[in-house]
Amino acid sequence: MDRRIRKSREAIIEAFILLIAEKNFEQITINEIAERADVSRGTVYLHYTDKYDLLDQCIRTHFVQLIDSCLPCGEQALFPTEAALLYTFQYLDQHASFYAAALANKGVPGFRNRLQAVLLRGFDKQMDMSGINRKMDKGILVQFLAVAMTGMIEQLVTRATPYSAAELAEQVWALMERNQMVPQPQPVHR
């Protein structure tokens, strides 16, 4: 991508995130985004059809990066190792401005639900329903965990917790192990 195009897109996204942190999404206009990004309205429309397209692309980009941060090396489980969970929390910490603004702003259409859906799909794929979980309803357990993880993410990105990403990862990993949410090693058959 051309450097000028990349710079314009980055300025637009940064301006957009700042505006989301300040006001309701529905109140944000393309003019405000353009003014804050120091580009013309036409430049914004050159890259995005409207503010909904900008929001959607922003969310998609951040979710792809979020998923990539917790699925290193083509792993299949949502958080295959404690290190992957740590990388995920560090990624969230580094991009806290976006996630905090999107989670805090009630005007961002469906952001919390989309984040929970990503977590729900991941937990559903890896939940071990044997052992202590065998009498549980998988749907309820997975929903509970997705909502809980969304809450932990919100605590981290809004700085509502005194814990660092590393401390949070350690505690959440311990909870995941306790609830048989981490991928179990498969027995080796000889």
Side-chain angles (χ1 to χ4, degrees), residues 20-178:
I20 286 175
E22 294 172 15
K23 59 197 297 188
N24 188 301
F25 172 78
E26 292 302 327
Q27 296 171 331
I28 297 171
T29 67
I30 292 294
N31 282 341
E32 289 175 305
I33 297 167
E35 186 177 308
R36 182 76 61 98
D38 198 24
V39 298
S40 70
R41 258 177 70 97
T43 301
V44 176
Y45 283 120
L46 183 64
H47 298 287
Y48 307 99
T49 53
D50 55 23
K51 69 180 183 179
Y52 297 95
D53 180 40
L54 172 56
L55 176 65
D56 190 54
Q57 287 190 42
C58 237
I59 291 172
R60 283 185 198 189
T61 299
H62 277 80
F63 281 177
V64 165
Q65 292 171 353
L66 175 63
I67 291 166
D68 286 349
S69 75
C70 65
L71 295 177
C73 306
E75 293 284 346
Q76 296 300 311
L78 186 60
F79 301 111
T81 64
E82 188 175 356
L85 183 61
L86 174 59
Y87 298 144
T88 302
F89 281 156
Q90 287 172 334
Y91 166 83
L92 289 163
D93 197 36
Q94 291 167 357
H95 296 89
S97 60
F98 170 75
Y99 285 95
L103 283 166
N105 189 323
K106 292 174 181 31
V108 175
F111 182 78
R112 179 180 296 282
N113 292 342
R114 285 174 75 173
L115 177 60
Q116 284 179 1
V118 167
L119 294 167
L120 193 69
R121 284 190 301 274
F123 290 144
D124 188 57
K125 286 180 187 175
Q126 75 189 56
M127 184 58 63
D128 181 353
M129 294 308 294
S130 64
I132 63 171
N133 292 336
R134 84 176 162 277
K135 292 183 180 179
M136 297 292 302
D137 179 280
K138 186 176 183 181
I140 292 171
L141 184 56
V142 167
Q143 182 69 37
F144 175 79
L145 295 168
V147 171
M149 185 63 81
T150 302
M152 295 309 303
I153 289 170
E154 187 170 23
Q155 291 288 305
L156 177 67
V157 300
T158 61
R159 310 292 189 238
T161 180
Y163 304 108
S164 69
E167 292 167 321
L168 215 50
E170 181 182 325
Q171 293 292 310
V172 170
W173 185 260
L175 288 168
M176 290 171 65
E177 282 182 321
R178 183 178 293 163

